[in-house]
Amino acid sequence: MKRISVIVLSALFFTACVSKKKYLALEQDHRELKSELTKTTVEKEELESKFSKIQQRVDSYNSKINELTEDNNTKLVSVEGLVTSENQKAAMRESLKNVPPAYMNTAKTLKDSMNLALQFNLKSSLENIDEDEDIAINIEETVVMISISDKMLFNSGSYKISDKANDILQKIANVINSEESLDVMVEGHTDNKLMKNSAAVRDNWDLSVLRATAVVKKLQNDYQVAPEQLIAAGRSFYQPLVENDTKDNRATNRRTRIVILPNIDKFFAMMASNK
């Protein structure tokens, strides 16, 4: 009987030990879950705060957009991926209205149309410039190139502009001033005859650059061409039209080329600033 009592007590003791271990494990799990819950609650509150701030920014942007679109004349629209306004569209229509429809046959995009319109307007402006042996005008796509012989602009070996150049430079300035969205590059070209070294002109590079800057300054100072439209470049004798093997050929290569480049991006920027 005593033996049975010892066995029963032993069983109860081991059962109590196992239950306590399970209890402690459950209590640990409870603490961990409570900690995770607290952490999740804090994260949730932080996310809600961030979301609230984002929503406030979105509401602010929407308010600004609504203010922009209240006036129909400045309503923003998308035209072939370009953000423009009704005023800008009206300016485009104004540029296009005098262009013959047949002239626009090759246009595939809005930029094509505007480039062709600028080209047409430039051609019309150039009608008052008569071509002769000293002036050549070429138009390649939307680029206008006016080549003026050396003898019309400068004395031999000099970069001082002669008075007889005034008429042609005035006409060219009128063309440039007729359209704000143009970039104009003035290129000086020489023959390959070596220059006499001087303080200002050491070689043909110097001469070509000085001639280009002389024309640029004349266009700016005397004919009010905006300087931000102008670029001066010297080519020396490295882009000849013909071989520098005769006196006449060298005279042909001595020239100033004025390259008029319609800048369609500047055109759109100009419309945006004038709306």
Side-chain angles (χ1 to χ4, degrees), residues 43-270:
E43 290 176 348
K44 176 175 177 291
E45 290 174 353
E46 289 177 350
L47 288 172
E48 287 177 345
S49 176
K50 289 179 181 178
F51 178 78
S52 177
K53 291 178 181 178
I54 293 171
Q55 187 62 49
Q56 289 175 6
R57 290 170 61 190
V58 171
D59 292 342
S60 175
Y61 293 152
N62 286 335
S63 175
K64 290 178 181 179
I65 291 171
N66 289 334
E67 289 174 4
L68 285 173
T69 57
E70 282 177 1
D71 182 357
N72 188 55
N73 287 332
T74 58
K75 183 178 179 181
L76 296 178
V77 293
S78 177
V79 183
E80 295 181 6
L82 296 168
V83 176
T84 183
S85 71
E86 291 295 335
N87 284 346
Q88 291 173 349
K89 287 169 66 180
M92 293 179 199
R93 288 193 291 269
E94 186 67 23
S95 295
L96 292 168
K97 73 177 184 179
N98 295 323
V99 183
Y103 199 84
M104 309 298 290
N105 285 342
T106 59
K108 295 180 180 179
T109 66
L110 174 63
K111 281 196 173 186
D112 288 344
S113 298
M114 298 314 303
N115 266 324
L116 287 170
L118 289 171
Q119 182 194 75
F120 179 83
N121 292 334
L122 280 175
K123 280 185 174 180
S124 300
S125 299
L126 290 169
E127 288 178 356
N128 66 338
I129 299 179
D130 298 322
E131 291 188 69
D132 57 28
E133 62 179 8
D134 296 320
I135 301 173
I137 300 173
N138 293 307
I139 299 178
E140 295 180 6
E141 295 183 352
T142 58
V143 178
V144 176
M145 288 167 284
I146 305 171
S147 185
I148 308 171
S149 73
D150 176 72
K151 64 183 179 182
M152 273 203 72
L153 296 178
F154 308 100
N155 296 323
S156 179
S158 171
Y159 56 89
K160 183 179 178 180
I161 297 178
S162 66
D163 291 339
K164 60 185 178 182
N166 290 341
D167 183 56
I168 183 62
L169 291 180
Q170 174 70 76
K171 290 179 179 179
I172 291 172
N174 291 342
V175 172
I176 299 169
N177 290 332
S178 70
E179 178 55 70
E180 294 179 54
S181 60
L182 298 176
D183 285 329
V184 182
M185 182 163 62
V186 180
E187 294 180 347
H189 295 260
T190 70
D191 60 25
N192 67 344
K193 189 175 180 181
L194 296 178
M195 295 297 305
K196 292 182 179 179
N197 198 308
S198 69
V201 183
R202 292 169 294 180
D203 54 26
N204 293 57
W205 277 114
D206 283 351
L207 181 61
S208 64
V209 172
L210 288 168
R211 285 181 168 178
T213 54
V215 172
V216 162
K217 291 174 182 177
K218 183 82 171 177
L219 291 172
Q220 177 187 349
N221 297 332
D222 292 2
Y223 304 117
Q224 292 72 56
V225 175
E228 59 268 21
Q229 291 182 258
L230 297 169
I231 305 164
R235 298 285 196 173
S236 187
F237 55 83
Y238 294 103
Q239 288 195 351
L241 295 175
V242 292
E243 293 292 332
N244 281 298
D245 53 2
T246 67
K247 182 178 179 180
D248 288 341
N249 281 0
R250 285 193 294 271
T252 298
N253 289 329
R254 293 193 301 270
R255 67 201 188 279
T256 297
R257 190 170 75 152
I258 298 176
V259 184
I260 301 175
L261 307 128
N263 187 325
I264 196 67
D265 293 325
K266 186 186 290 186
F267 179 81
F268 285 116
M270 178 191 69

